[in-house]
Amino acid sequence: MGLLKRIFSFTKPYKKTLYTTMALSVALAGLSVLRPLLIQTSVDTYIQKHLLTGLIWMCVLQLAALLLESALRFWFAYRANWLGQTSVNDMRKEVFRKILHQHLSFYDRTPIGILTTRTINDIEAVNDIFSEGIISITADLLTIIAIIITMIIINWKLTLICLIPFPLLVIATYWFKESVNKSFQRVRNAVAHLNAFAQEHLTGMYLVQAFAAEKREAGKFDEINKEHRDANIKGIFAYSVFFPIVEIILAISLGLLVWFGAKSMLNYQSTHMTAGVIISFVMYLNLLFRPLRMMADKFNTLQMGMIAGDRIFTILDSKEYLHNNGSYQPQRIIGDVEFKNVHFSYKPGVPVLKGISFKLEHGKTMAVVGHTGAGKTSIISILNRLYEIQEGSILIDNRDLNEYDMYSLREHVGIVLQDVFLFSGTIYENITLRNTDIPLSKVQEVAKMLGIHDFIMRLPGDYNFNVMERGATLSQGQRQLLSFARALLYDPSILILDEATSSVDSESEQLIQHAIDTLIKGRTSVVIAHRLSTIRKADRIIVMEQGQIIESGSHSSLISKKGTYYDLYTAVEKQVEKQNVEVL
Ligand code: ATP
Ligand code: MG
């Protein structure tokens, strides 16, 4: 009940509509008993006694009742659905806002497919609570009650007789509800699997085709697809059995009605039994069965909506967002960086950084080197608070990172990641990240500084060139260059650069080299370097191994030490030489 209340709390801003729909459902329940009553009176009073004028009036009334009922029904359906869509729109907005602010570690644990399902499908299921669930169940229940009361008032004995097959209906409904519910859940799981599978394979199509795995993957897809079909067919079976059964039960009710009604009419046993009563009862029974038939289905919808609502609220209640407790919003920062005995882990119990300490003065460049998995990327992820450290402290301009307003901090700390991600949109939009406050001229200025303006101008449509999803239409080197422009645009005092390992052609290489030099000039830079030239130029180098700094110093001092750095450097050097020979 608490859950339903919470779902309905989203209708709060639209209270008026909620009350209107409630009032309408009461009015409709009342109206639904009116027309059979009019027919009964027409038959018993006007037709039997041949009163033509009265009969015409009854017809007019009948027509008026029909029109009124139709109008109200339209209004009710329209408003109830409007209420659903509007509340659900708010809910979706809130969920997406929440997702945007979740901690990155949340995404390390939660598959993307699940979140898509939450923001799209689950919320749609909640919408059904409004459009088909609770409001219409209430409306139906009111109608059923109104009809049964009217029938009892007209003739309670006949009512009881008509309702004899009701227990059968209850049993059939229960069976139907259970089996549909089960198959619905199977269908939902299958849909989630289909979604996840399709999404993953579309993203990884390159791999699938490169490794000629089409046949195998198609086979896997068939399995999931079959499960989806089977689950649906189970549900359809329940529907196909249930509806004829309800028809049979209705027929039995009608049969009992006609049999006992006609018998008592002919026997003159009851003065209450007239042709009009029998006709109106036929109508009432039809009106009664219509909502009953749909009731089980609606209860399922309600149940599904509640399950979905529960899942949505789990996300809304999650406390895993980054706490932006700091308030310091400097106009400009100098750029001194200090790590003091920093410990960090993505997962509790699996330390990734174990006591990192270093000091980097403003304007200097520090290169971070080390084997794969040593913790290099992790160092920079905690520097602009993408992740939270567990122990120690990080200081910028002698101030703890937590004292900074997070958004202000991120403006001053520019970042270029190892994997460049591009959204579908133009080059301009990708560089500004759709911040329309930044004029094109500013973007061009930055591009010229980086030396990539010419390359962009050569693209069809230059700055309006449409980058397809994930930058599919650009080479890796080109994508990197765009990400440099992104970082430089905000003229950050501190620059974090995770150089991509992949080698690019020599023209791009020169461009990138120039761009990197421009990027780090005059800024405090932390560079996870793979290029020898970048490493050599650094004022300071730290060598990482298994989450610790094992060596640190200048290039020449580390070379003369002949330790891990020496080995790493000479290995890379050899590789480059080999490649050059191959190229030549
Ligand atoms: P590379 O040179 O390959 O980029 P790296 O030095 O940047 O390696 P990190 O990405 O910092 O390495 O990873 C350090 C350790 O942390 C690895 O053991 C890795 O498995 C783990 N790790 C990295 N990212 C996550 C994450 N999001 N969740 C859990 N563990 C992670
Ligand atoms: Mg890395």
Side-chain angles (χ1 to χ4, degrees):
M1 225 42 214
L3 187 62
L4 209 53
K5 211 168 142 190
R6 192 156 170 206
I7 291 173
F8 267 81
S9 70
F10 278 86
T11 61
K12 248 196 198 131
Y14 317 106
K15 259 194 192 136
K16 228 175 94 187
T17 310
L18 182 66
Y19 294 148
T20 313
T21 49
M22 282 173 169
L24 280 172
S25 66
V26 175
L28 277 169
L31 265 179
S32 63
V33 298
L34 191 63
R35 282 192 296 131
L37 268 182
L38 288 173
I39 296 265
Q40 187 194 333
T41 325
S42 309
V43 173
D44 289 348
T45 316
Y46 299 99
I47 296 181
Q48 298 252 329
K49 294 175 188 158
H50 301 283
L51 299 170
L52 192 61
T53 331
L55 190 61
I56 289 172
W57 273 113
M58 285 316 270
C59 287
V60 171
L61 267 180
Q62 184 76 252
L63 194 66
L66 182 68
L67 287 178
L68 183 63
E69 198 181 327
S70 305
L72 290 188
R73 212 166 275 288
F74 153 76
W75 195 12
F76 172 74
Y78 183 72
R79 289 321 275 175
N81 278 291
W82 182 93
L83 185 68
Q85 288 297 347
T86 313
S87 319
V88 153
N89 179 42
D90 293 351
M91 188 185 269
R92 187 175 282 133
K93 220 156 55 184
E94 202 171 302
V95 170
F96 195 67
R97 292 257 184 312
K98 186 81 189 190
I99 286 180
L100 277 181
H101 290 100
Q102 282 297 346
H103 213 292
L104 277 184
S105 55
F106 170 82
Y107 292 99
D108 295 341
R109 281 180 284 106
T110 320
I112 303 296
I114 302 259
L115 292 174
T116 323
T117 313
R118 293 290 170 275
T119 36
I120 313 284
N121 303 39
D122 280 350
I123 292 192
E124 211 43 57
V126 172
N127 174 45
D128 292 342
I129 289 191
F130 294 97
S131 54
E132 298 172 31
I134 190 93
I135 296 180
S136 83
I137 288 180
T138 320
D140 287 350
L141 272 178
L142 285 174
T143 311
I144 291 170
I145 293 169
I147 290 174
I148 293 183
I149 291 177
T150 317
M151 285 169 76
I152 288 174
I153 292 173
I154 296 174
N155 189 326
W156 65 270
K157 266 191 209 154
L158 196 58
T159 309
L160 283 184
I161 289 168
C162 291
L163 295 185
I164 286 174
F166 248 59
L168 266 180
L169 185 67
V170 173
I171 295 168
T173 308
Y174 180 76
W175 166 83
F176 171 71
K177 182 178 153 344
E178 287 300 301
S179 49
V180 166
N181 196 3
K182 252 186 239 150
S183 67
F184 259 14
Q185 257 164 26
R186 257 181 77 191
V187 170
R188 281 181 74 90
N189 280 338
V191 168
H193 280 145
L194 272 179
N195 270 342
F197 193 84
Q199 192 182 9
E200 213 172 274
H201 282 76
L202 291 176
T203 321
M205 191 53 75
Y206 183 82
L207 254 172
V208 174
Q209 295 196 352
F211 285 85
E214 290 97 333
K215 220 168 153 184
R216 201 169 52 236
E217 300 304 321
K220 270 192 225 155
F221 183 81
D222 290 349
E223 263 172 50
I224 307 176
N225 196 26
K226 186 170 171 296
E227 162 64 15
H228 180 250
R229 185 199 63 183
D230 292 349
N232 261 316
I233 288 180
K234 260 260 166 63
I236 293 165
F237 175 78
Y239 275 91
S240 318
V241 172
F242 180 65
F243 286 122
I245 287 183
V246 175
E247 288 302 319
I248 292 172
I249 295 170
L250 172 62
I252 295 174
S253 268
L254 287 172
L256 287 170
L257 164 72
V258 174
W259 178 257
F260 282 96
K263 219 171 81 179
S264 56
M265 212 178 108
L266 293 176
N267 291 347
Y268 299 103
Q269 275 173 353
S270 158
T271 45
H272 295 299
M273 191 57 68
T274 60
V277 170
I278 296 177
I279 293 170
S280 70
F281 263 55
V282 170
M283 289 180 78
Y284 281 129
L285 280 179
N286 271 313
L287 282 179
L288 196 60
F289 270 72
R290 195 177 355 159
L292 279 174
R293 205 172 356 197
M294 304 310 295
M295 196 77 111
D297 217 14
K298 285 177 183 168
F299 263 112
N300 275 332
T301 309
L302 182 63
Q303 203 172 10
M304 300 299 248
M306 304 252 290
I307 294 172
D310 195 30
R311 291 201 202 119
I312 291 166
F313 291 133
T314 317
I315 289 194
L316 285 181
D317 292 342
S318 125
K319 297 267 185 293
E320 279 186 79
Y321 50 90
L322 273 175
H323 298 277
N324 187 15
N325 295 334
S327 56
Y328 183 53
Q329 298 183 337
Q331 273 303 313
R332 186 93 207 134
I333 62 171
I334 303 167
D336 289 323
V337 177
E338 187 178 359
F339 273 51
K340 276 186 180 166
N341 193 28
V342 170
H343 288 257
F344 167 67
S345 62
Y346 292 97
K347 280 177 246 153
V350 193
V352 169
L353 297 180
K354 306 161 197 165
I356 301 286
S357 301
F358 64 80
K359 216 169 167 172
L360 183 62
E361 277 169 28
H362 63 269
K364 300 270 192 234
T365 301
M366 181 174 87
V368 184
V369 296
H371 291 292
T372 179
K376 303 182 297 292
T377 302
S378 309
I379 283 199
I380 58 173
S381 303
I382 55 178
L383 183 52
N384 80 345
R385 285 193 66 197
L386 287 174
Y387 289 90
E388 210 85 53
I389 59 171
Q390 281 86 29
E391 232 186 284
S393 54
I394 301 174
L395 309 174
I396 289 182
D397 291 356
N398 281 322
R399 211 180 249 274
D400 195 288
L401 218 52
N402 294 323
E403 289 177 29
Y404 284 84
D405 172 74
M406 199 162 61
Y407 303 105
S408 167
L409 176 78
R410 288 181 182 164
E411 266 173 33
H412 295 299
V413 182
I415 189 161
V416 178
L417 290 174
Q418 213 166 3
D419 307 313
V420 178
F421 189 90
L422 299 180
F423 294 94
S424 48
T426 64
I427 298 254
Y428 165 70
E429 285 171 336
N430 261 292
I431 294 179
T432 58
L433 290 179
R434 303 209 176 97
N435 180 351
T436 44
D437 293 342
I438 304 171
L440 180 63
S441 57
K442 170 90 187 164
V443 174
Q444 286 176 334
E445 186 191 321
V446 167
K448 278 178 191 154
M449 267 166 76
L450 286 171
I452 63 172
H453 177 69
D454 293 338
F455 130 68
I456 295 174
M457 291 310 282
R458 278 201 299 273
L459 294 170
D462 54 79
Y463 284 84
N464 286 321
F465 175 74
N466 209 344
V467 178
M468 300 308 282
E469 206 175 313
R470 283 174 293 120
T473 38
L474 292 173
S475 79
Q476 207 152 15
Q478 293 169 330
R479 275 181 261 170
Q480 263 182 58
L481 290 168
L482 291 185
S483 72
F484 291 167
R486 245 184 214 169
L488 193 58
L489 199 57
Y490 290 94
D491 190 20
S493 308
I494 299 176
L495 187 97
I496 299 172
L497 172 63
D498 203 347
E499 268 189 348
T501 27
S502 61
S503 49
V504 289
D505 60 277
S506 56
E507 194 202 357
S508 296
E509 177 62 38
Q510 266 178 4
L511 264 177
I512 288 174
Q513 200 57 59
H514 168 76
I516 289 178
D517 291 346
T518 317
L519 263 181
I520 60 182
K521 201 157 75 194
R523 284 170 236 280
T524 314
S525 316
V526 179
V527 186
I528 298 175
H530 296 291
R531 286 183 175 74
L532 294 177
S533 57
T534 323
I535 301 176
R536 266 195 310 258
K537 273 184 221 157
D539 300 298
R540 158 112 184 266
I541 297 159
I542 60 172
V543 184
M544 305 246 341
E545 201 171 281
Q546 294 184 4
Q548 282 170 321
I549 298 178
I550 51 166
E551 285 174 15
S552 108
S554 68
H555 173 69
S556 51
S557 73
L558 287 175
I559 286 288
S560 55
K561 204 169 157 191
K562 295 219 163 187
T564 312
Y565 177 76
Y566 177 81
D567 296 341
L568 271 171
Y569 186 82
T570 43
V572 177
E573 208 172 31
K574 266 193 200 125
Q575 206 182 349
V576 171
E577 265 168 28
K578 209 172 104 204
Q579 273 173 359
N580 283 345
V581 170
E582 275 167 12
V583 172
L584 288 170

